[in-house]
């Protein structure tokens, strides 16, 4: 992934990646391993997301973790024994690749002791973020784009000096699964949001613009989240905090460019695996052959 304008994100030096959810939709795989560490082909979802942040010029990545914390920390650390063994076996290129992961960026690990909700997870980063705007990238939401998803939002933040969240059109039948935002189109894919609601009941959604897991937020979100009561699902919802922010300071949405995969959902996860495997010359031929066979033989 490369950014045509990484400078746009320079204003945003830090980001938060919440990865402390229970991942119940992926049990039993997530009993001991965080869902953000499940692989898309051969690389953990979380690594793609960290790479997106790095491509956008972000310098400090705060990962919010819960169970399975050591798998995340170990993945972004130097794997000394493994590397040494591989080098001794002449697998230098592979060992170099492992070292590159450890050198990607500064990762700061913060524990969310209880999975009290996404809003609470973001609040856990308060003292590390301090008094500057920051990005949020959900640890199970992938955006495959030429300009990194979070870099696109950073660019809009820089232009308008206002909190901005990623939006994507979804079918009316799916609006109850997302945070939904409505507002006025002010051009170039930017929406001046006047209403945002978490998982509206079927038939009550104010639009079909779903909130996707990328945000650029001002530090004023923290006192809002501190006062936030529990919302849908008994969790401290980030969307409820955004609704307050919209009323106090205003809130923008941005219809980002790129393909999004919900790797926290089984079908979304499988789609991401297929899409990323098809991009790999070593896998593409064999996979396509198998997929053609499946299409021919499987009944709908
Ligand atoms: P999800 O709602 O998709 O994650 O949160 P989950 O609760 O782990 O999923 P299921 O429904 O049980 O399978 C979106 C992101 O926010 C993080 C999750 O780890 C995920 O990356 N999250 C959620 C937290 O870090 N803390 C929380 O309390 C909740």
């Amino acid at each position: 992934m490369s950014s045509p304008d990484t400078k746009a994100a320079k204003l945003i030096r830090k980001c938060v990646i919440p990865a402390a959810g229970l991942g119940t939709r992926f049990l039993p795989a997530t009993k001991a391993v965080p869902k953000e560490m499940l692989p898309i082909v051969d690389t953990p979802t979380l690594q793609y997301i960290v790479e997106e942040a790095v491509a956008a010029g972000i310098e400090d990545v705060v990962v919010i973790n819960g169970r399975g914390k050591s798998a995340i920390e170990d993945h972004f650390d130097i794997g000394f024994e493994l590397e040494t063994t591989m080098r001794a076996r002449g697998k230098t290129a592979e060992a170099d690749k492992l070292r590159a992961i450890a050198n990607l960026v500064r990762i700061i690990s913060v524990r969310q002791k209880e999975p009290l909700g996404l809003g609470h997870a973001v609040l856990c980063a308060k003292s590390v973020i301090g008094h500057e705007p920051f990005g949020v990238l959900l640890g199970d939401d992938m955006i495959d784009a030429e300009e990194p998803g979070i870099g696109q939002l950073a660019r809009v933040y820089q232009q308008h000096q206002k909190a901005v969240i990623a939006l994507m059109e979804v079918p009316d039948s799916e609006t109850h699964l997302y945070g939904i935002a409505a507002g006025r189109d002010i051009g170039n894919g930017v929406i001046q949001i006047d209403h945002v609601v978490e998982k509206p009941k079927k038939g009550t959604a104010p639009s079909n613009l779903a909130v996707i897991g990328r945000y650029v937020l001002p530090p004023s979100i923290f006192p809002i989240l501190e006062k936030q009561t529990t919302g849908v699902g008994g969790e401290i919802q980030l969307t409820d905090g955004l609704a307050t922010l919209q009323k106090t300071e205003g809130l923008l949405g941005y219809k980002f460019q790129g393909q999004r995969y919900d790797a926290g959902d089984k079908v979304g996860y499988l789609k991401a695996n297929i899409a990323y495997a098809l991009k790999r010359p070593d896998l593409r031929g064999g996979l396509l052959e198998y997929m053609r066979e499946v299409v021919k033989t499987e009944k709908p």
Side-chain angles (χ1 to χ4, degrees):
M1 207 185 299
S2 71
S3 162
D5 184 11
T6 47
K7 275 185 255 117
K10 280 296 169 207
L11 182 73
I12 309 302
R13 296 188 309 120
K14 297 180 181 176
C15 77
V16 181
I17 304 183
L22 293 179
T24 54
R25 284 170 288 173
F26 277 87
L27 283 169
T30 47
K31 188 176 173 200
V33 178
K35 80 172 157 184
E36 293 76 7
M37 288 303 291
L38 299 180
I40 305 297
V41 186
D42 53 12
T43 301
T45 310
L46 187 58
Q47 186 180 323
Y48 290 100
I49 291 168
V50 169
E51 285 170 350
E52 177 187 325
V54 172
I58 283 170
E59 295 161 12
D60 286 336
V61 174
V62 186
V63 176
I64 310 298
N65 53 43
R67 292 161 317 120
K69 165 186 154 81
S70 61
I72 294 179
E73 289 182 346
D74 289 350
H75 185 75
F76 292 99
D77 200 354
I78 293 172
F80 189 73
E81 266 181 46
L82 184 58
E83 256 186 54
T84 309
T85 309
M86 286 170 77
R87 287 190 202 284
R89 292 182 182 174
K91 294 191 177 293
T92 313
E94 289 86 342
D96 287 348
K97 267 192 178 172
L98 290 184
R99 179 55 66 100
I101 300 169
N103 291 338
L104 258 178
V105 72
R106 193 162 39 230
I107 303 264
I108 299 150
S109 183
V110 172
R111 183 86 173 192
Q112 184 188 24
K113 290 182 189 157
E114 276 181 275
L116 298 178
L118 181 55
H120 180 261
V122 171
L123 182 56
C124 289
K126 180 185 169 196
S127 61
V128 187
I129 297 296
H131 301 283
E132 56 186 292
F134 63 101
V136 177
L137 299 88
L138 295 199
D140 59 353
D141 226 341
M142 300 178 66
I143 294 182
D144 186 14
E146 201 180 317
E147 180 184 9
I150 197 67
Q152 297 180 37
L153 296 198
R155 181 164 48 73
V156 176
Y157 187 96
Q158 197 173 38
Q159 280 160 4
H160 297 268
Q161 295 296 312
K162 210 172 265 183
V164 53
I165 64 180
L167 298 178
M168 181 182 91
E169 279 174 26
V170 297
D172 291 341
S173 57
E174 291 179 15
T175 49
H176 64 289
L177 303 171
Y178 294 89
I180 298 290
R184 189 168 56 89
D185 195 325
I186 58 170
N188 297 323
V190 181
I191 311 286
Q192 176 87 52
I193 294 175
D194 56 35
H195 193 47
V196 58
V197 55
E198 180 64 20
K199 298 192 175 77
K201 289 203 170 66
K202 279 188 183 174
T204 67
S207 85
N208 65 344
L209 285 176
V211 180
I212 298 305
R214 299 290 183 277
Y215 316 72
V216 173
L217 302 174
S220 50
I221 191 71
F222 292 125
I224 292 174
L225 291 173
E226 273 166 343
K227 286 189 217 109
Q228 189 74 54
T229 50
T230 53
V232 174
E235 295 191 343
I236 297 178
Q237 297 287 355
L238 181 58
T239 309
D240 294 340
L242 294 174
T244 306
L245 193 69
Q246 183 270 320
K247 290 188 190 96
T248 53
E249 296 179 22
L251 179 66
L252 299 176
Y254 184 62
K255 293 194 222 165
F256 64 92
Q257 306 290 316
Q259 181 64 49
R260 177 254 183 177
Y261 300 97
D262 179 2
D265 164 78
K266 278 178 202 146
V267 173
Y269 177 77
L270 294 170
K271 282 183 185 170
N273 267 286
I274 293 169
Y276 279 75
L278 286 176
K279 290 205 253 182
R280 293 263 297 257
D282 57 328
L283 304 175
R284 185 178 167 83
L287 181 59
L288 273 178
E289 197 179 313
Y290 174 67
M291 284 163 65
R292 286 195 189 102
E293 195 59 34
V294 170
V295 169
K296 245 192 278 163
T297 53
E298 282 291 316
K299 301 258 177 323

